[in-house]
Amino acid sequence: MKGKLLLAGAVLTAAALAGTQAVTAGASFTDADDVMHYGWSLVCNPTEETLFEFGADGNVSAINAAEGDIANQRVNMYAIRDTEHAGDETYTVSATFTPDEESDLSTERAYGIVPWYVDSDNYLIYWLQQKLDGGWSGQFYGRVDGSFKAWAQADGDSWRTDEYDDMWWDNGSVSNPAIKGERNAILNHTITLKVVSEIETVTVGGSDYTCRSFELHQIVEDKGVSADPDDSNSVEIPAGADFVSRKVYCRDLTADSDAARVGIYSEAFSVGISDFSCVGDNDSSTAQAVAAKIDALGTVDSVEKITAVDEVYGEYMSLLELKEQCADGTDAKMTAALNGVGTYVDGRILALDKTSATFKADVESALELYNSLPAYLAAKVTKVSELQAAVEEAQKPDTPDNPDNPDNPDNPDIPDNPGNTEKPGENNGGGCGSVLSVGAGLALLVPAAFLLKRKKR
């Protein structure tokens, strides 16, 4: 995200912009309070963004979809983790869903895991949907290249491309025994959904295909099944027991497919979300690649290097729990780089020289640089009072003792122009002199300069 310059009416001259540029970070979601939630992006209508909540661990903790515009949430209400998984990678994604106590049967509601997401034409969702009559179903839904997925089970006769493949509540082969046949189960129980995905070879219609599989798990956390004393084959199933509902193979997803991301979905359902996890074969290499970028930062000695620090910091924070897989000392190196930004900006401020012919331009450039920093980097700058003093000095009107004053006859660099009848500080549309334009910019910048609203990152 670009740092915001919330300076109402500010005039930034070319001199002020010289040597500076907007500082950018990652694409993580920034909420209405300007708090950045590293590692997550939202795919929804902008008005629905406030319905997502985040916990202390950085992961999504709730989606209050029932409070939003439910008519426009169909396959458009996702929280997506920013970490990508390669086309040939094996990974497992899971989360625990606790329905809001006020959930009812006034509309069909669904929540689920997104085990594969690229864009609006390429996504797969494993959801549980509560029906209006109290029944419910599991569903593995989605598209590949804009068309409904081509899917099959092992040893199937053919690939199917129908839109739906309901796994009904009263079917013991696809419904967890703890809630099989129980009406309103999706409203009343805490359930963990888990999807294990890998590249495998499967036989369909007598031919072998190597493609991505999705193994769909249901885990009812708050209910088990007692053994039937009249059935010698019956066994007790404790609460929290894992149950595989179905294994689906998607023909058009192969080891050569694009990298994809994972996430969470809700439609019309307000649910608490806990224990989100995604563990992949490439987690260590993903973390180490970010650590290598941190190692390569070196000394912060330019605005371009500040941009690099900000970008790498965004990637590092977006790792969330994967930061634990970075090399020892990575966190200290990241901290050193952040401190290096403060040292560099402090140096720019301390170098301001009021006797310099370019003092005003230099002050405005330093001010622009400071204001371009997101809050977490601005906090590393210690010479803010010195910058304030320099700005106040640069605002002072020119005097005959100031060699930059155009009325000073001893200044040979500014020629006398008797034909110019403008009074000092006036401009009749013929352009601004560099000194006056920079001064005007500073005069507008100062009132808001140290009241800047920044990203709370």
Side-chain angles (χ1 to χ4, degrees):
M1 308 293 291
K2 292 185 177 181
K4 287 185 177 179
L5 293 175
L6 300 179
L7 304 174
V11 177
L12 295 179
T13 66
L17 295 173
T20 69
Q21 63 188 70
V23 177
T24 60
S28 299
F29 168 63
T30 302
D31 65 21
D33 295 322
D34 281 333
V35 176
M36 181 170 283
H37 298 283
Y38 287 105
W40 288 93
S41 300
L42 300 187
V43 181
C44 63
N45 293 322
T47 56
E48 308 277 74
E49 291 179 348
T50 59
L51 304 179
F52 293 80
E53 298 180 12
F54 293 81
D57 63 353
N59 288 317
V60 174
S61 60
I63 304 178
N64 301 307
E67 300 175 13
D69 181 11
I70 62 177
N72 292 306
Q73 293 176 354
R74 183 71 165 197
V75 297
N76 188 36
M77 195 66 178
Y78 309 99
I80 302 296
R81 276 288 280 123
D82 291 339
T83 302
E84 290 190 334
H85 298 276
D88 61 351
E89 185 176 355
T90 296
Y91 56 87
T92 299
V93 57
S94 63
T96 300
F97 299 85
T98 301
D100 183 88
E101 293 179 354
E102 297 182 2
S103 297
D104 55 38
L105 296 175
S106 60
T107 188
E108 291 188 347
R109 309 179 189 279
Y111 62 70
I113 290 289
V114 183
W116 187 81
Y117 183 90
V118 177
D119 55 33
S120 59
D121 285 329
N122 295 274
Y123 62 88
L124 296 170
I125 314 169
Y126 174 40
W127 73 54
L128 298 183
Q129 184 180 60
Q130 179 66 59
K131 305 294 186 178
L132 297 180
D133 62 358
W136 54 273
S137 71
Q139 187 72 236
F140 190 60
Y141 186 91
R143 295 175 180 265
V144 177
D145 292 334
S147 299
F148 292 121
K149 66 187 186 302
W151 69 277
Q153 295 177 262
D155 298 321
D157 294 332
S158 62
W159 294 97
R160 297 173 55 181
T161 56
D162 42 328
E163 181 175 3
Y164 296 103
D165 61 317
D166 291 289
M167 292 167 269
W168 286 106
W169 61 300
D170 54 356
N171 182 342
S173 66
V174 294
S175 297
N176 189 304
I179 53 175
K180 181 184 80 71
E182 179 184 335
R183 289 188 180 275
N184 301 329
I186 310 307
L187 297 179
N188 296 329
H189 294 289
T190 294
I191 298 174
T192 294
L193 296 182
K194 179 174 71 174
V195 179
V196 181
S197 186
E198 60 184 324
I199 298 295
E200 295 186 78
T201 298
V202 62
T203 301
V204 178
S207 299
D208 289 343
Y209 298 82
T210 299
C211 58
R212 181 164 289 282
S213 67
F214 298 87
E215 188 176 74
L216 315 177
H217 296 241
Q218 297 174 4
I219 304 167
V220 182
E221 300 291 352
D222 55 4
K223 184 182 178 183
V225 178
S226 300
D228 184 349
D230 297 325
D231 184 353
S232 60
N233 294 320
S234 175
V235 296
E236 179 181 0
I237 300 176
D242 200 347
F243 174 79
V244 178
S245 177
R246 176 173 286 177
K247 190 167 188 175
V248 177
Y249 296 83
C250 288
R251 182 191 64 197
D252 300 321
L253 300 184
T254 70
D256 296 325
S257 294
D258 291 339
R261 297 179 290 161
V262 302
I264 300 169
Y265 171 79
S266 181
E267 178 190 356
F269 223 139
S270 290
V271 287
I273 299 165
S274 58
D275 299 324
F276 176 87
S277 172
C278 187
V279 178
D281 285 351
N282 295 351
D283 286 351
S284 179
S285 59
T286 297
Q288 292 302 326
V290 176
K293 292 183 180 182
I294 295 172
D295 286 342
L297 286 173
T299 302
V300 179
D301 54 7
S302 65
V303 174
E304 290 74 19
K305 187 60 70 72
I306 293 176
T307 300
V309 169
D310 188 50
E311 290 175 348
V312 174
Y313 180 74
E315 292 184 44
Y316 181 61
M317 295 299 291
S318 294
L319 290 175
L320 297 177
E321 66 276 3
L322 295 186
K323 286 191 289 185
E324 297 176 1
Q325 300 194 39
C326 290
D328 291 343
T330 297
D331 195 67
K333 292 176 182 178
M334 188 74 255
T335 299
L338 301 180
N339 291 336
V341 172
T343 300
Y344 172 76
V345 178
D346 283 344
R348 286 275 296 266
I349 295 169
L350 293 176
L352 296 173
D353 181 1
K354 67 179 182 181
T355 67
S356 170
T358 59
F359 176 60
K360 290 185 177 181
D362 294 341
V363 170
E364 197 163 2
S365 178
L367 181 61
E368 161 68 2
L369 173 58
Y370 176 74
N371 280 337
S372 73
L373 299 176
Y376 79 96
L377 287 178
K380 301 296 181 179
V381 179
T382 65
K383 304 303 180 183
V384 178
S385 60
E386 286 84 347
L387 178 57
Q388 177 72 68
V391 171
E392 293 171 356
E393 179 67 27
Q395 279 189 297
K396 292 179 180 179
D398 294 321
T399 67
D401 294 330
N402 185 343
D404 286 338
N405 184 3
D407 294 330
N408 184 354
D410 296 326
N411 185 351
D413 296 328
I414 302 179
D416 184 27
N417 184 3
N420 185 354
T421 59
E422 286 185 20
K423 296 179 181 179
E426 289 184 345
N427 179 1
N428 293 325
C432 293
S434 61
V435 173
L436 289 177
S437 64
V438 173
L442 285 168
L444 287 168
L445 283 168
V446 168
F450 298 99
L451 299 175
L452 183 64
K453 184 178 181 183
R454 301 178 186 274
K455 298 293 184 185
K456 299 175 184 177
R457 296 176 358 199

